[in-house]
Amino acid sequence: MENIKKEELEKLVGMDKVNIFYEIVDEITKFYDMEQIWNNGGKKWDYEYKFRKGGKTLCAFYFKDNTLGFMIIFGKDERMKVEEIRNELLSEVLENYDNAEIFHDGKWVMFNITHNSIIEDLIKLLFIKRKPNKK
């Protein structure tokens, strides 16, 4: 799938959420050198945009009607590390984390992105998921 045009995303989720999306992408690319891939969003979402390296996904964004989702899947060891930094995370981030379902391959945490004040917490969580690979 080709890159999705910014205008198309703005129609779908609104300019504010698109700006937050690009802000988060900019933050991620400061720390990680990874493949960035657009896909269709499956049954529940219109589009997916993910960061991958070596066949492993770091995180993914999801877009649909006025909604910007951001998913990180945490394995067992990673969940233990998240517990260690709980007191550093915003309550809404913890709420998303605590309410996420655990599957055989990890805890699938979907964050509903509505403002940019959670970006710092998302980056902390990504550091738990995978060490930055950019010097």
Side-chain angles (χ1 to χ4, degrees):
M1 183 172 223
E2 296 175 32
N3 287 349
I4 307 302
K5 289 188 170 56
K6 186 175 182 182
E7 297 77 30
E8 193 173 338
L9 291 178
E10 285 176 359
K11 275 188 215 157
L12 187 61
V13 301
M15 191 186 317
D16 289 348
K17 289 184 178 94
V18 171
N19 289 337
I20 295 167
F21 162 69
Y22 284 114
E23 198 175 330
I24 298 171
V25 168
D26 286 347
E27 280 299 305
I28 294 170
T29 55
K30 282 181 194 173
F31 300 105
Y32 297 96
D33 179 21
M34 297 193 155
E35 195 177 3
Q36 297 170 48
I37 307 161
W38 281 104
N39 289 310
N40 77 37
K43 291 178 184 170
K44 294 184 179 179
W45 299 87
D46 292 347
Y47 301 113
E48 173 193 64
Y49 182 79
K50 62 184 165 186
F51 283 82
R52 285 179 71 91
K53 183 149 188 144
K56 294 196 177 202
T57 299
L58 174 69
C59 61
F61 291 89
Y62 293 92
F63 301 84
K64 69 177 179 186
D65 307 319
N66 203 28
T67 306
L68 173 60
F70 180 79
M71 181 178 278
I72 305 173
I73 301 170
F74 296 96
K76 191 175 183 181
D77 294 342
E78 295 158 351
R79 292 198 308 269
M80 289 168 48
K81 290 176 184 170
V82 171
E83 292 302 321
E84 292 170 10
I85 66 159
R86 282 183 72 86
N87 62 343
E88 300 173 25
L89 301 172
L90 294 170
S91 59
E92 77 177 89
V93 170
L94 288 173
E95 190 176 323
N96 280 279
Y97 180 81
D98 291 341
N99 294 328
E101 200 167 341
I102 298 174
F103 296 96
H104 71 281
D105 57 349
K107 184 171 188 133
W108 292 47
V109 185
M110 178 67 79
F111 300 92
N112 181 12
I113 307 293
T114 57
H115 52 83
N116 62 3
S117 60
I118 71 168
I119 294 174
E120 188 178 319
D121 282 7
L122 297 179
I123 298 299
K124 283 181 193 172
L125 293 173
L126 290 176
F127 285 0
I128 286 174
K129 177 78 180 158
R130 187 172 185 153
K131 285 188 173 74
N133 65 359
K134 261 192 177 175
K135 300 290 177 228

